[in-house]
Amino acid sequence: MSRDSCIGVDDRSWVFTYAQRKWYTMLANEKAPIEGIGQPEKVGLLLEYGAQKLSLVDVSQVSVVHTLQTDFRGPVVPAFALWDGELLTHSGLEVPPGL
């Protein structure tokens, strides 16, 4: 997708978002609430590429909170955005030089 696009507005990108103390998903510009998640301190993403699933995980409870079933049409690349607060990511990969 181009740098001028926003994630979640087309059918090739997916969003898990936290806004106004509620969790949502967004795909193809359709926003849907995620019920029953509460206020987890840490969340993670679980990608099951072969099964075509992307899940939001409550790390503290070690449980899947919500799963998006979709059609991956190529490589899946994570993107993160932060407007207010703190973001800490752990990918298990080494950080490339220069970042």
Side-chain angles (χ1 to χ4, degrees):
M1 76 187 291
S2 77
R3 288 180 179 257
D4 298 329
S5 297
C6 290
I7 54 176
V9 298
D10 60 18
D11 65 351
R12 294 184 53 120
S13 62
W14 315 270
V15 173
F16 288 110
T17 184
Y18 182 73
Q20 299 171 342
R21 298 183 183 227
K22 294 183 182 179
W23 283 92
Y24 300 90
T25 63
M26 194 163 77
L27 169 65
N29 213 24
E30 291 187 27
K31 190 174 174 181
I34 300 173
E35 302 296 334
I37 186 173
Q39 304 278 328
E41 187 174 313
K42 294 180 183 179
V43 294
L45 296 176
L46 175 63
L47 173 65
E48 297 177 79
Y49 192 89
Q52 308 245 336
K53 294 179 184 180
L54 181 63
S55 299
L56 182 67
V57 176
D58 180 338
V59 175
S60 302
Q61 300 294 320
V62 191
S63 64
V64 172
V65 175
H66 187 80
T67 299
L68 293 172
Q69 181 84 40
T70 189
D71 179 26
F72 300 138
R73 299 183 200 148
V76 176
V77 179
F80 299 93
L82 180 66
W83 283 268
D84 183 29
E86 181 178 322
L87 175 69
L88 179 64
T89 63
H90 295 282
S91 67
L93 303 173
E94 289 188 34
V95 177
L99 289 182

